[in-house]
Amino acid sequence: MADYAIRQATSGNFEVLADLFAASVERIGPRAYSLVQVAAWTQRANGVTEFANRLGQGDIIILACNSVGDVAGYAILQPDGCIDHLYCHPDHERRGIGAGLLERCEDEAERLGIMRLYTAASEIARPVFGRGGYRLIGRRDFEIGGVPIHNYAMEKRLR
């Protein structure tokens, strides 16, 4: 993580974030989900529009950028304490980016007076949240476009 800087996103980052989401789901997702599930997950994204809407709703989009400014990962913190996205580009995996993004989410939450963070972590993100001190609440089974898939409800209480 030493080679990465954490900062908040701007509207100029939205296209890169949409591409990073797709690359992450398409290339990392098959490690834990079927190709049909990955395709459904990818279809759920709204691209650039989603990130613009998120920022407009008061969500905080946090980026991890490498030394030349390329976005390597991101997280979205909602005003109610939900960490809705935590994604890393496949070319930057296993470098502590997820942990760094979670730490920044916690800092932002404390600054805003949020005392509980929660998420619906994918099979892939679950260990990252677990190492970050998030407690497993339970597995959630649901469908995306008629395709069964699952994730895990997790939470962390802050000071």
Side-chain angles (χ1 to χ4, degrees), residues 58-138:
D59 293 355
I60 299 171
I61 304 173
I62 301 166
L63 310 178
C65 300
N66 68 9
S67 59
V68 294
D70 297 330
V71 177
Y74 76 94
I76 298 177
L77 174 62
Q78 296 176 321
D80 68 350
C82 178
I83 299 176
D84 189 43
H85 284 204
L86 180 65
Y87 289 93
C88 182
H89 191 280
D91 295 340
H92 298 272
E93 286 185 278
R94 303 192 189 285
R95 298 182 189 170
I97 291 170
L101 289 168
L102 287 180
E103 185 177 312
R104 180 63 174 268
C105 285
E106 290 174 20
D107 292 345
E108 291 294 326
E110 288 181 354
R111 182 181 66 78
L112 296 169
I114 299 168
M115 299 311 294
R116 174 184 167 264
L117 293 175
Y118 67 98
T119 193
S122 70
E123 194 73 54
I124 295 154
R126 180 181 167 191
V128 177
F129 281 97
R131 285 189 298 275
Y134 287 73
R135 179 177 68 89
L136 176 64
I137 305 299

Side-chain angles (χ1 to χ4, degrees), residues 32-44:
Y33 296 96
S34 73
L35 294 180
V36 172
Q37 289 171 318
V38 167
W41 190 354
T42 303
Q43 292 295 316
R44 198 170 136 211

Side-chain angles (χ1 to χ4, degrees), residues 23-37:
S24 180
V25 173
E26 291 168 3
R27 290 176 44 196
I28 300 173
R31 294 181 195 158
Y33 296 96
S34 73
L35 294 180
V36 172
Q37 289 171 318

